[in-house]
Amino acid sequence: MQGNRLYEGQKLALKYFTVAIVLFGAQLLFGLIAAIQYLYPSFLFNTLDFSIARMVHINALVVWLLYAMIGAVYWLLPDEAGVEVVGVKLGTLAFYVLTVAVAIVVLVYIFIQVGPGNEMTLWFITEGREYIEAPRWADIGIVAVVLVFLYNVYATVLKGKHSGILVVLMADLIALAGLYLAGMFYTDNIAVDQYWWWWVVHLWVEATWEVYVAAVGGYILIKTLNANRQVVEMWLWIEVAMMFGSGILGLGHHYFWIGTPEYWWEIGALFSALEPVPLVGLFVHVLYDWGKERGKGNNIKNVPAFAWLTVETFGNFLGAGVWGFMHTLPQINLYTHGTQWPAAHGHLAFFGAYVAIMISAIYLGVQGKAGFKEMKMTKAGWWAISLITVGVLLMTVSLTLSAYVQTMVERGMHGATWEGYFIAQANQWFVQGMGWRLAAGLSVIAGYAFLVYDLLTVTKKQPAEVMEGEAAAQAA
Amino acid sequence: MENKPTSVWTSNRFWRRSATWITGVAAVLLILLTFDSMGQMKMGTAEDIQNKVTKRIPSPVVINYKIDYVLDPYRGHEVPIIGGKAVDSATGKVSSKFEEKEKFFGRDDWSEEEARALIHKGKLTIQAKNCMDCHTLLGNGAYYAPDLTKAWLDPAWGSEGPLQAMTGANSKEEAMATFLQNPDKYPTHERMMPNLGITPEEAKAVVAYLKFMSAIDTNGFPRNFGKIKGAVDARK
């Protein structure tokens, strides 16, 4: 019963998942360093400064999510299409190329850090553009790897079945890949620079990634709850309409203060206010359907994956939706922009919208590898999901407290001067928030340790009835 | 395989078409708005300044001029003013006079080419040193260090500000450039700036960029900046 029925594409997915989890650990480690530096600024000063810790923290997050996303697609692609992934060898080669490139980029980030102010630095050390700091050689490499991935997805779907989930993914992935190109040029005009930079950052995170998550979430619901495919696919299209309908022009909420024309105030306010709407529809409908049939032998097929999907649904709504809406209107954003508000929102939004569902997908992979029809939650699994989720929520609330103080003192009282900035940063309430953030971060790291342990051992710790049921199913 | 839908609202085909149309319309609108925004965000030229034409992103030669950030009652928020302020008595609208000069590293006759070369080097340096992973520029970036959007106008660097006094320099630009080259020698705060190996040329270019950036029209961000005592156009 050991994984002999896996598609080659699914074996490749497991490779992506493994690197994703390792990078997740790197993200948490460098986040911890940055959080410590907020409280003890001399920690690693002039050795590994906040700028570097923060850059690795965020880049590791983005890259591990991309690894997990590619992995999840390779996992569901042959299953949905009903055929082996076309060009799986090419995909494997791309995986190794990407991993070596990521390793080089990270080593350069940590050991070389910065360069002289010229074009060579942008090509080989860092582009210094928040979130997409990767040097240009790596950008070109990423595009090449993504093209291989796109080819594999398209060729496989065209050969096999065209399910609604796959059609949405095909359309979405081409947009995701194309948008990356908007962040690959240099201009002296910082307003124009920021304008296009948001095409990558916003249109990824608040449009293409959201649609991606909806598609993968639909697949996970089918796998864990036997959800009705008709219902899932209908909701998927509704979500695509609402997410792209709100997310594309919701881009405007980043265009309030960067030198853009004033009409972006209205456009950004309206469309970004609509963004929270689509976030829970699919899940609630399917859960309702499933609830009606409970007790008729329709068990949850993978409890950890389902639990993480639940965290995703409500984390996404709270973090991306509620915390985003709190400061999205220009009247409020004028004061909160560039404070800890976005940090509070960002932590819960990324966790809720993307981290949780990717862990869910990884649990599906673990289950599939072991070949179990059902998988129960273990004690370590409960500790992992509890410590991580509560930790991130507490982190968000702490940062919100600090943000509130910063906004009132620095922006309200001192008009955003440097003096006001430092007075706010030294305020005891601000500092206390940062302290709670660090404590909450430690909880997340403890949860991560449980998560890694659980992913490695969950299939060995299944209760006897699941194992027996599995054995019987195998025999039959 | 598809069941007969009982109504249009549960028809996958209807929702698929809606999704396609909505996405298409939103994308087309975004592209049209982008064309318009790009036109308005084009960097100005020295000629614009000679003709007293205000641009959202002005020519780099603004480094030759005095820059203010004052409340425009007509627009309801602060706007950058280059080379002195003119007020329209009928509407209260304020505009730049492009007259009052200010020396930048001892000169107020930087040519367009020289000024462009400076801000080119300045922006490259800002990227090469990862400034945005501690500071915010136009409000974007990290929040570990102060916002640089209007740093040039900040009273801390002014003639009576603590930071200029600390470096022992005689002008704002020299104080900033001195600080940037050896930030760990000048502890401004418990949270210090690390030494990034910034050369004298790079420091000068970065300061030019900061001055240029302070003249970008950011729709009133940061709010109230001009009203604070000691800042530009303060209520005395």
Side-chain angles (χ1 to χ4, degrees):
Chain A
M1 64 188 237
Q2 286 299 322
N4 43 12
R5 289 159 303 156
L6 287 188
Y7 288 100
E8 289 302 311
Q10 293 187 316
K11 289 181 188 161
L12 176 56
L14 293 171
K15 289 195 176 82
Y16 273 99
F17 287 155
T18 309
V19 178
I21 285 291
V22 171
L23 286 170
F24 183 24
Q27 181 214 339
L28 297 182
L29 175 67
F30 282 88
L32 177 70
I33 293 172
I36 293 173
Q37 285 169 331
Y38 252 101
L39 291 167
Y40 309 100
S42 56
F43 181 63
L44 295 178
F45 181 69
N46 267 344
T47 307
L48 191 101
D49 291 303
F50 178 85
S51 55
I52 304 302
R54 191 231 190 212
M55 174 171 67
V56 180
H57 172 59
I58 292 177
N59 282 209
L61 166 74
V62 173
V63 173
W64 91 251
L65 286 177
L66 283 175
Y67 263 88
M69 285 179 179
I70 294 176
V73 171
Y74 275 133
W75 183 265
L76 66 82
L77 179 60
D79 190 23
E80 283 280 299
V83 292
E84 181 57 87
V85 171
V86 174
V88 76
K89 280 199 177 130
L90 198 59
T92 310
L93 177 69
F95 165 79
Y96 285 110
V97 170
L98 182 63
T99 305
V100 169
V102 166
I104 294 171
V105 169
V106 170
L107 291 175
V108 169
Y109 278 170
I110 295 175
F111 293 105
I112 301 184
Q113 301 187 354
V114 294
N118 59 35
E119 303 274 359
M120 291 305 271
T121 300
L122 269 45
W123 273 99
F124 296 108
I125 300 173
T126 179
E127 275 203 72
R129 297 174 75 208
E130 197 190 11
Y131 313 145
I132 47 176
E133 286 94 345
R136 199 161 287 144
W137 74 264
D139 282 348
I140 294 168
I142 289 169
V143 170
V145 167
V146 169
L147 286 177
V148 169
F149 172 59
L150 278 180
Y151 166 76
N152 280 356
V153 173
Y154 274 73
T156 308
V157 178
L158 292 178
K159 204 173 144 198
K161 281 184 289 206
H162 314 349
S163 75
I165 289 176
L166 288 177
V167 174
V168 169
L169 273 176
M170 281 161 77
D172 190 55
L173 290 175
I174 203 154
L176 192 144
L179 288 168
Y180 192 64
L181 300 174
M184 285 177 61
F185 67 98
Y186 174 86
T187 162
D188 286 337
N189 186 334
I190 191 168
V192 171
D193 177 316
Q194 293 277 300
Y195 188 96
W196 292 106
W197 177 84
W198 281 118
W199 275 52
V200 185
V201 176
H202 170 99
L203 290 179
W204 266 19
V205 174
E206 293 176 57
T208 54
W209 282 20
E210 287 280 3
V211 167
Y212 166 88
V213 154
V216 172
Y219 175 78
I220 296 176
L221 283 171
I222 291 173
K223 287 288 143 183
T224 56
L225 291 187
N226 258 344
N228 180 328
R229 183 175 285 274
Q230 287 280 113
V231 171
V232 167
E233 293 190 344
M234 180 188 82
W235 271 96
L236 196 51
W237 287 114
I238 296 176
E239 294 204 16
V240 171
M242 293 205 281
M243 280 164 181
F244 278 140
S246 61
I248 291 176
L249 289 168
L251 182 59
H253 69 228
H254 301 291
Y255 289 165
F256 296 155
W257 326 117
I258 62 166
T260 37
E262 279 156 306
Y263 53 68
W264 286 107
W265 287 351
E266 287 80 14
I267 295 166
L270 174 63
F271 287 94
S272 69
L274 293 175
E275 279 187 47
V277 175
L279 298 178
V280 281
L282 169 60
F283 182 86
V284 170
H285 190 125
V286 168
L287 198 62
Y288 179 77
D289 284 357
W290 177 77
K292 286 193 298 191
E293 293 178 23
R294 255 198 104 174
K296 295 178 190 166
N298 190 8
N299 292 334
I300 299 177
K301 304 293 178 299
N302 183 330
V303 180
F306 182 74
W308 278 105
L309 188 68
T310 311
V311 170
E312 192 273 341
T313 308
F314 295 100
N316 194 358
F317 180 70
L318 260 183
V322 177
W323 251 264
F325 182 73
M326 278 187 201
H327 66 157
T328 198
L329 297 177
Q331 295 90 330
I332 297 167
N333 193 261
L334 179 54
Y335 295 93
T336 57
H337 182 50
T339 67
Q340 295 294 332
W341 277 106
H345 156 58
H347 278 81
L348 189 54
F350 265 88
F351 170 73
Y354 306 115
V355 170
I357 194 167
M358 285 301 119
I359 296 174
S360 177
I362 291 170
Y363 268 109
L364 274 194
V366 168
Q367 179 190 19
K369 188 185 174 204
F372 285 146
K373 285 224 161 50
E374 272 190 39
M375 201 161 85
K376 299 288 179 200
M377 189 71 115
T378 60
K379 273 202 179 118
W382 273 121
W383 277 108
I385 195 169
S386 309
L387 285 170
I388 295 178
T389 307
V390 172
V392 175
L393 279 171
L394 183 60
M395 199 183 288
T396 303
V397 172
S398 318
L399 285 170
T400 307
L401 251 180
S402 293
Y404 199 83
V405 175
Q406 186 182 2
T407 307
M408 291 298 160
V409 176
E410 177 196 326
R411 300 296 174 81
M413 289 166 64
H414 292 273
T417 55
W418 281 29
E419 192 195 3
Y421 174 83
F422 285 123
I423 292 172
Q425 298 288 309
N427 184 290
Q428 57 173 329
W429 287 86
F430 181 93
V431 175
Q432 195 179 63
M434 287 299 166
W436 281 109
R437 186 264 292 267
L438 177 56
L442 291 171
S443 158
V444 174
I445 287 175
Y448 172 78
F450 277 108
L451 178 68
V452 172
Y453 172 77
D454 194 48
L455 288 172
L456 294 173
T457 59
V458 63
T459 51
K460 291 176 200 126
K461 303 221 163 162
Q462 290 301 306
E465 71 268 24
V466 175
M467 303 277 244
E468 278 164 20
E470 179 58 25
Q474 291 286 315
Chain B
M1 185 74 195
E2 201 160 330
N3 296 334
K4 262 215 173 102
T6 47
S7 94
V8 69
W9 300 109
T10 53
S11 148
N12 281 11
R13 193 157 164 268
F14 168 75
W15 286 111
R16 190 168 62 230
R17 289 186 161 195
S18 305
T20 312
W21 273 101
I22 290 172
T23 306
V25 169
V28 167
L29 271 173
L30 176 64
I31 289 164
L32 293 176
L33 288 165
T34 296
F35 273 108
D36 183 68
S37 292
M38 282 300 133
Q40 296 199 43
M41 291 162 74
K42 223 171 154 187
M43 199 185 282
T45 59
E47 210 171 291
D48 292 324
I49 289 187
Q50 263 167 12
N51 300 330
K52 304 189 191 254
V53 177
T54 299
K55 285 285 170 89
R56 290 194 151 268
I57 292 88
S59 160
V61 296
V62 292
I63 61 171
N64 291 323
Y65 292 84
K66 181 171 184 284
I67 295 163
D68 290 309
Y69 195 51
V70 304
L71 189 72
D72 182 344
Y74 179 80
R75 285 176 68 182
H77 54 71
E78 285 91 346
V79 293
I81 293 294
I82 300 161
K85 177 174 78 166
V87 184
D88 183 325
S89 52
T91 58
K93 194 174 181 172
V94 297
S95 57
S96 301
K97 285 209 282 204
F98 301 100
E99 281 168 6
E100 201 176 333
K101 290 219 168 178
E102 180 183 72
K103 285 210 158 54
F104 186 75
F105 287 101
R107 288 176 56 190
D108 60 8
D109 59 350
W110 295 86
S111 71
E112 183 152 37
E113 291 69 42
E114 287 174 318
R116 265 185 196 278
L118 264 183
I119 70 143
H120 177 65
K121 178 117 185 135
K123 176 119 183 310
L124 280 176
T125 305
I126 285 169
Q127 291 185 215
K129 306 294 179 187
N130 271 330
C131 298
M132 284 184 87
D133 277 301
C134 284
H135 290 280
T136 39
L137 284 81
L138 303 180
N140 292 322
Y143 323 116
Y144 192 70
D147 193 326
L148 300 180
T149 310
K150 302 291 172 190
W152 173 258
L153 304 172
D154 201 280
W157 291 103
S159 55
E160 287 168 24
L163 299 184
Q164 190 175 129
M166 179 185 65
T167 57
N170 294 322
S171 68
K172 204 188 275 187
E173 61 273 23
E174 280 157 26
M176 286 179 160
T178 310
F179 173 79
L180 283 171
Q181 289 166 63
N182 284 299
D184 40 0
K185 268 197 202 162
Y186 304 105
T188 48
H189 184 262
E190 190 193 1
R191 214 184 279 163
M192 287 192 295
M193 178 167 158
N195 193 330
L196 299 169
I198 297 174
T199 65
E201 291 73 40
E202 286 170 348
K204 193 175 182 179
V206 169
V207 178
Y209 206 92
L210 293 178
K211 186 166 184 182
F212 160 74
M213 188 162 57
S214 73
I216 293 178
D217 186 340
T218 50
N219 289 341
F221 179 85
R223 179 70 166 162
N224 279 338
F225 188 79
K227 284 188 191 165
I228 300 304
K229 190 173 184 304
V232 285
D233 200 35
R235 293 197 207 114
K236 286 166 184 142

